[in-house]
Amino acid sequence: LGFSEGSEPHIMDVTQRALEHKRKIHDDKQVALYQEWDTEVFSKIQGRLQTAVGRVSARDLQARLKAQGDAYIKTGNEKLGVFRDVIGHESDYNPLTARDHTLQVYTGDIRDPVKRDVLKPMYERTLMGQSVQAGPVGKPMLDTKIWGDLAIHATPYG
């Protein structure tokens, strides 16, 4: 290949070292991104959840869960069946009342470093004073309703 034996590195050695270096750089970036995500996203959400859980009294939680369980058992014994997707009158058992007590924490102020490149155009438009449309992030797709029956002759998607 134009290299004399022993004088210069072989092309395969050079290529191998370049690939290993590229792989190491990629792995280092992945580790750094994970550590940033752990600090900026996971730890913040985990801390907020722990604070919210700490505000709930164990006695109150136990009493509420016992009352919900008793209501379910009472209704199950009185009615033929209790289904989550069938909710009768207001006086009947409503399985969705437990949702009123779910823990919720605010996460709107958290910037996810994993989504940085995807959300960058939105942030830039906001800084320039342009309107930002909320919607799916990604490329436009052909509606599935016109996939079949040869309804597609020409589309803006190709």
Side-chain angles (χ1 to χ4, degrees), residues 7-56:
S7 63
E8 290 191 29
H10 195 272
I11 187 74
M12 294 303 288
D13 293 333
V14 172
T15 305
Q16 184 66 30
R17 272 189 250 128
L19 289 173
E20 288 174 4
H21 180 68
K22 181 179 179 185
R23 192 173 303 119
K24 182 182 180 328
I25 289 173
H26 177 267
D27 291 347
D28 290 347
K29 284 183 181 179
Q30 291 294 97
V31 168
L33 184 62
Y34 169 74
Q35 289 172 344
E36 185 180 1
W37 175 84
D38 186 50
T39 303
E40 296 298 321
V41 179
F42 179 77
S43 295
K44 287 182 180 180
I45 293 174
Q46 185 70 15
R48 292 174 188 181
L49 282 171
Q50 286 176 342
T51 302
V53 167
R55 284 191 222 121
V56 177

Side-chain angles (χ1 to χ4, degrees), residues 62-80:
Q62 184 179 14
R64 182 172 46 83
L65 292 177
K66 183 180 181 325
Q68 288 174 354
D70 290 345
Y72 174 77
I73 291 171
K74 180 180 180 247
T75 303
N77 289 336
E78 292 174 357
K79 296 177 89 176
L80 183 57

Side-chain angles (χ1 to χ4, degrees), residues 58-124:
R59 281 203 177 115
D60 292 343
L61 178 63
Q62 184 179 14
R64 182 172 46 83
L65 292 177
K66 183 180 181 325
Q68 288 174 354
D70 290 345
Y72 174 77
I73 291 171
K74 180 180 180 247
T75 303
N77 289 336
E78 292 174 357
K79 296 177 89 176
L80 183 57
V82 179
F83 304 100
R84 183 179 168 101
D85 58 341
V86 178
I87 301 172
H89 302 289
E90 291 179 13
S91 62
D92 287 345
Y93 171 75
N94 183 353
L96 303 179
T97 55
R99 289 189 314 181
D100 298 338
H101 301 284
T102 57
L103 289 178
Q104 294 180 353
V105 295
Y106 178 70
T107 59
D109 62 328
I110 296 176
R111 301 276 185 206
D112 189 347
V114 176
K115 298 178 183 177
R116 184 181 299 133
D117 292 340
V118 175
L119 298 175
K120 184 179 178 182
M122 182 183 75
Y123 296 142
E124 289 175 349

